[in-house]
Amino acid sequence: MSGPRYHRTRAQDQRLVGFECTDCGWVAYPDERRTCKSCGAAPAEFEEVALATRGEIQTFVVQQYLPDDIETPQPVAVVDLPQVDGEGEAARVYGLLTESSLEEIDVGTEVDARFREMFADGTRPVNSFKFSVPRADKAGDGGDGE
Amino acid sequence: MNDAYVVGAGMIDFGEHYDQSFDDLLESAYLALLDDVDHGIDPQADIDAAWYGTIDIAGEGSSGASVAHATGLFEKPITRVENACATGSDAFRNASLAVRAGAADVALVIGAEKMLDDTAGLIGSAALERLWRGRGVTMPAYFGMRATRHMDQYDTTREQIAQVSVKNHENGTKYPHAHQQFECSVKDVTESPTVSYPLNLYDCCPVTDGACAVLVANEDRAREFTDDPIRHAGFGLSSDSFQRGGDAALTNFPASRHASRAAYEMAGIAPGDVDVAEVHDCFSITELVTYEDLGFCEEGQGGQFVEEGRSALDGDTPVNPSGGLLSKGHPIGATGVAQVAEIYEQLRGEAGDVQVDDPQVGLQHNIGIGRNATGAVSCVNVLQRP
Ligand SMILES: [Zn+2]
């Protein structure tokens, strides 16, 4: 994880803000440049939209073999994060899952975004979002998991 | 535009070649090709240009000069092509384009990869490249995600997915250049170690070194080299990303649909006309969804297609008679070139124990993942008996 790469996407890594194409409604997240990756508008105009912290798993796998600095087994999912106001398209993102087991997750399962340390860049922690099954939905667990 | 024809092919046994350098692999494939040309070839006089497919994982075969050095074809234009896992098939497509355009009468296509020299780098870069784009997603995960969703959406069974691997390993035992020559059962596949749920070890292609070369000539020159040239009838190349939002990309690869439709249109054929296919099966699920993407069956029917034996050697659409990447191996730059060579053999009736019944039209297909996550490239080539 290089420093410059980290800085380039820091705003999106640390805030759930997407960018909606004013032509076709597709929501760019976390990348936003000057062209639309869905309809091909160039230049495209984007509007900032706030994304909800709760989304829905579209598909997932549970990885067993990863570099040493990532814990395994590691579930990773494609998650659709709707917009806060409930309008428009969802943002479709890859999300690492945390505090969740294979038995708890499926296509269609709702998950919450949680801000976590992702990796260490040298001595500096790199923070962003992971996802987990909502605590209240877990039987026998009264805590909020934070 | 001229027509382009395949007039020769040469391949090394795919496998572990620690003891051989990149140059050794290229030399061997090249010499096998020269030996294969029916009426012989004077390479210095006959070959006008070369296209070289590699992603150069080993860091040893970087430019066209590698091919010049390994073959002795100096003073000729040699272009390196890199396009994810479609590298070899796109090198073939580019050579054919030059022949069609009249820029070369006879072109060499050569692909090579040493996968075993450095594999840690592949997994590491895929996992850590960018925070949000990749999120630690590895190759088995990109493909496994289609499996999870396909099972959920179409009631495809885990056993149907495993049957792809069973079929291809059985074919591989009959194909002399295949890396891993063993048969396995559905149970062997589903009980092999989990790599990335829902995929197990036997759902994944091995890590393999390899090289392959084919010769492409225009219509005027083709019969100098053989009485039995095979026409390159159509091709397509396309890119897609499943973060564009299209739900079809959660279960399938829309890029393969676009690339195959373009290839079919150019060749003037329909999916039902394909008599034999070598398709990308880096993972078992990849081949299953590719049946649908290429139009061999309806969307969601890939599981039934393999279960009913329709893609078996004696099925109505035999797929991966060579054993596919699952058995043969997947040395990226060589993979697509080898698939073209295999279809060439099939259409000439020279495929030995894996020969299918009198094929007239053959298809070659690769799908590749790029940009550490969502970008997918697909290349499809259609070959036909003239
Ligand atoms: Zn747009």
Side-chain angles (χ1 to χ4, degrees):
Chain A
M1 188 67 54
S2 68
R5 268 193 190 125
Y6 164 63
H7 281 288
R8 275 201 296 266
T9 57
R10 187 166 59 174
Q12 288 141 291
D13 290 339
Q14 302 194 355
R15 291 185 303 150
L16 291 172
V17 176
F19 301 89
E20 185 179 78
C21 172
T22 57
D23 273 11
C24 73
W26 176 75
V27 178
Y29 184 87
D31 288 305
E32 183 266 332
R33 297 290 183 267
R34 296 176 61 213
T35 59
C36 176
K37 316 308 175 199
S38 184
C39 71
E45 279 188 39
F46 290 100
E47 281 176 0
E48 243 183 68
V49 291
L51 300 175
T53 55
R54 180 167 291 190
E56 185 184 292
I57 291 178
Q58 301 301 307
T59 189
F60 69 97
V61 295
V62 185
Q63 303 188 100
Q64 295 286 353
Y65 298 100
L66 288 169
D68 292 342
D69 44 352
I70 303 179
E71 64 173 302
T72 53
Q74 176 59 252
V76 57
V78 172
V79 175
D80 275 5
L81 281 178
Q83 298 179 28
V84 163
D85 62 10
E87 311 262 315
E89 289 187 22
R92 179 162 287 176
V93 301
Y94 283 111
L96 296 177
L97 299 188
T98 183
E99 299 141 39
S100 305
S101 63
L102 175 58
E103 292 69 38
E104 294 176 306
I105 56 181
D106 209 340
V107 175
T109 301
E110 291 200 320
V111 288
D112 284 341
R114 293 166 190 277
F115 200 56
R116 287 285 187 275
E117 179 178 329
M118 302 288 292
F119 313 107
D121 180 14
T123 56
R124 180 180 56 183
V126 176
N127 299 308
S128 188
F129 294 96
K130 292 191 180 183
F131 293 91
S132 68
V133 176
R135 281 290 159 185
D137 297 355
K138 282 196 180 183
D141 185 345
D144 66 3
E146 300 295 319
Chain B
M1 283 293 236
N2 301 299
D3 266 351
Y5 292 81
V6 181
V7 295
M11 183 174 346
I12 67 166
D13 289 347
F14 282 15
E16 294 186 0
H17 296 302
Y18 281 116
D19 54 325
Q20 295 186 44
S21 69
F22 222 107
D23 283 1
D24 293 331
L25 303 189
L26 286 166
E27 271 182 1
S28 298
Y30 177 65
L31 291 173
L33 166 68
L34 298 186
D35 192 47
D36 179 70
V37 176
D38 293 342
H39 299 168
I41 180 169
D42 176 356
Q44 293 294 341
D46 290 332
I47 296 176
D48 299 316
W51 275 262
Y52 169 39
T54 189
I55 69 170
D56 194 21
I57 288 173
E60 202 190 330
S62 58
S63 75
S66 300
V67 171
H69 186 78
T71 61
L73 291 170
F74 293 99
E75 299 163 24
K76 308 208 185 242
I78 305 177
T79 301
R80 174 180 162 186
V81 173
E82 178 180 348
N83 209 344
C85 291
T87 289
S89 37
D90 201 12
F92 173 67
R93 173 180 158 274
N94 274 274
S96 179
L97 275 168
V99 168
R100 285 168 168 274
D105 292 343
V106 179
L108 169 71
V109 184
I110 190 161
E113 210 73 59
K114 280 187 73 68
M115 302 290 291
L116 286 153
D117 283 16
D118 176 19
T119 52
L122 260 187
I123 291 172
S125 68
L128 296 171
E129 181 73 5
R130 278 191 161 195
L131 266 186
W132 270 106
R133 180 168 284 139
R135 288 271 148 172
V137 187
T138 58
M139 292 295 163
Y142 293 136
F143 290 91
M145 283 183 172
R146 269 77 177 184
T148 305
R149 177 82 177 202
H150 208 278
M151 289 191 286
D152 182 85
Q153 193 165 323
Y154 298 116
D155 294 327
T156 302
T157 66
R158 180 66 187 85
E159 288 70 28
Q160 288 171 331
I161 296 170
Q163 277 170 0
V164 171
S165 192
V166 172
K167 167 182 73 74
N168 290 357
H169 278 99
E170 187 184 336
N171 291 350
T173 61
K174 301 172 188 167
Y175 183 72
H177 300 297
H179 181 185
Q180 293 194 334
Q181 308 247 355
F182 64 87
E183 292 189 16
C184 57
S185 66
V186 166
K187 199 168 165 223
D188 291 335
V189 177
T190 58
E191 292 185 358
S192 61
T194 303
V195 171
S196 196
Y197 167 90
L199 299 181
N200 299 66
L201 185 62
Y202 287 5
D203 291 290
C204 309
C205 69
V207 181
T208 302
D209 301 323
C212 186
V214 302
L215 194 68
V216 181
N218 66 18
E219 190 158 16
D220 291 342
R221 301 289 306 276
R223 286 183 191 275
E224 285 177 32
F225 300 106
T226 176
D227 294 333
D228 197 10
I230 298 299
R231 186 166 164 260
H232 186 202
F235 50 77
L237 180 73
S238 183
S239 306
D240 191 61
S241 159
F242 82 9
Q243 283 187 334
R244 290 168 74 199
D247 285 349
L250 291 170
T251 49
N252 289 78
F253 294 100
S256 294
R257 301 182 188 187
H258 302 144
S260 60
R261 293 318 177 270
Y264 293 148
E265 187 178 339
M266 186 173 168
I269 63 159
D273 297 325
V274 175
D275 298 315
V276 60
E278 289 285 339
V279 311
H280 206 77
D281 60 328
C282 49
F283 300 93
S284 51
I285 183 63
T286 318
E287 179 174 317
L288 189 149
V289 302
T290 295
Y291 302 145
E292 303 169 16
D293 289 335
L294 298 179
F296 296 166
C297 64
E298 295 296 311
E299 180 162 334
Q301 302 297 304
Q304 270 175 265
F305 191 79
V306 64
E307 185 173 352
E308 291 166 1
R310 295 182 58 193
S311 54
L313 266 187
D314 60 355
D316 60 80
T317 312
V319 176
N320 285 327
S322 68
L325 284 49
L326 282 167
S327 169
K328 190 175 67 200
H330 182 21
I332 298 174
T335 296
V337 185
Q339 291 174 313
V340 170
E342 284 144 10
I343 293 296
Y344 174 71
E345 284 180 356
Q346 286 282 351
L347 295 180
R348 282 163 51 103
E350 296 173 341
D353 291 343
V354 295
Q355 180 66 49
V356 308
D357 186 31
D358 192 30
Q360 300 297 309
V361 176
L363 177 146
Q364 176 267 334
H365 158 270
N366 283 142
I367 185 88
I369 295 291
R371 303 207 67 191
N372 285 326
T374 61
V377 55
S378 179
C379 188
V380 171
N381 291 292
V382 172
L383 301 177
Q384 194 164 15
R385 292 197 62 81

